[in-house]
Amino acid sequence: MNNKWRIIFTSLTASVMLAACGTSDADAEKDATDPAIEEPATPETDVEESTSTENEAEIETDAEEETSEVSMEDAVETASDEQDYSMMVLPGYKLTSEEPGRDTLYFEEDSETFMRIETMPKDDESYTFDELYTNMEELLTASSDGETPTEITEEANLPQADSITSVKGATVESTEGYFTGYVMEHEDKLVRVTVYAKEDNEHMKEFKQMAATIK
């Protein structure tokens, strides 16, 4: 601010202060006792309280969602009785050998919700990775009474682990429920898992996470 505007601003400020000082005490008392002058109303707090309640509800909901997230920290490493692999199994699930070369990991509260697991050594050469995936698509089609499977292209929807060098998956929906299959390639083996879930498609996240731990 230059000197000219500083002088003008200072003069105006001084004038306002002198005018304020010149106001009579009587006027001040009159203003203080005049019944026509109402006290300012107390601000309403309903809106603030409502907003606060909504924020608390959102925080509680977020906390519940975080609590319901699947945690593999509680999983226990379990070895297959019949095949050459082990995996992390969450509480509430059980791994059992169905027949040579085929195991079942099922949800204990509902054994019709399960994941079938098949592994084979890569040097066996009975299937290549692509052949095993094609065969899996055929299996999904047969399981869903002829419905065409859709390939899973989002990485987030596929099992992910450092030991998995390649992975492909497909899913199909039918009146029988949801069927999802993954083919995973490891350094020493090929793994195919097929998940059978009901119409609400529950437990898919858990099955996918456990499938990623097969080694």
Side-chain angles (χ1 to χ4, degrees):
M1 183 184 294
N2 59 36
N3 290 333
K4 175 182 176 181
W5 289 109
R6 183 181 291 108
I7 293 170
I8 294 173
F9 179 76
T10 303
S11 299
L12 289 173
T13 303
S15 299
V16 172
M17 293 178 65
L18 289 173
C21 292
T23 303
S24 67
D25 294 339
D27 289 341
E29 290 180 6
K30 180 180 179 182
D31 290 343
T33 59
D34 191 342
I37 300 177
E38 298 180 356
E39 291 294 327
T42 303
E44 295 183 2
T45 59
D46 290 348
V47 175
E48 293 179 1
E49 291 178 357
S50 175
T51 302
S52 176
T53 302
E54 290 176 359
N55 289 339
E56 290 176 1
E58 289 178 0
I59 293 172
E60 290 177 0
T61 301
D62 291 342
E64 289 176 359
E65 289 177 353
E66 289 177 2
T67 302
S68 64
E69 286 293 320
V70 179
S71 175
M72 293 301 293
E73 293 179 359
D74 299 325
V76 176
E77 184 170 6
T78 306
S80 168
D81 292 334
E82 298 292 339
Q83 301 185 68
D84 184 22
Y85 76 90
S86 65
M87 66 183 298
M88 303 301 292
V89 177
L90 286 165
Y93 296 83
K94 186 173 182 179
L95 179 66
T96 182
S97 295
E98 186 176 307
E99 58 186 72
R102 182 177 294 176
D103 294 342
T104 298
L105 176 69
Y106 64 90
F107 183 51
E108 290 184 299
E109 292 184 9
D110 180 8
S111 60
E112 292 183 6
T113 300
F114 63 94
M115 177 169 71
R116 182 167 288 132
I117 304 168
E118 301 165 88
T119 67
M120 56 198 71
K122 285 181 68 175
D123 56 13
D124 185 9
E125 297 183 352
S126 55
Y127 281 103
T128 66
F129 176 84
D130 290 332
E131 288 172 343
L132 193 58
Y133 176 76
T134 299
N135 182 264
M136 183 196 71
E137 286 186 310
E138 294 171 354
L139 178 62
L140 292 178
T141 299
S143 300
S144 61
D145 293 331
E147 297 294 331
T148 302
T150 301
E151 183 176 353
I152 300 171
T153 56
E154 293 290 335
E155 281 192 12
N157 295 328
L158 294 167
Q160 300 292 325
D162 292 339
S163 61
I164 300 174
T165 57
S166 298
V167 58
K168 290 182 72 173
T171 186
V172 66
E173 179 182 352
S174 75
T175 55
E176 302 297 324
Y178 291 83
F179 306 96
T180 302
Y182 307 113
V183 174
M184 296 168 284
E185 182 176 10
H186 295 258
E187 185 176 346
D188 61 339
K189 65 173 66 73
L190 293 175
V191 179
R192 176 172 69 184
V193 301
T194 315
V195 182
Y196 298 85
K198 292 187 175 180
E199 291 182 3
D200 53 13
N201 206 18
E202 283 188 311
H203 312 292
M204 274 304 308
K205 183 173 183 178
E206 290 91 336
F207 281 123
K208 181 189 70 175
Q209 288 186 309
M210 287 187 284
T213 68
I214 296 173
K215 62 182 181 179

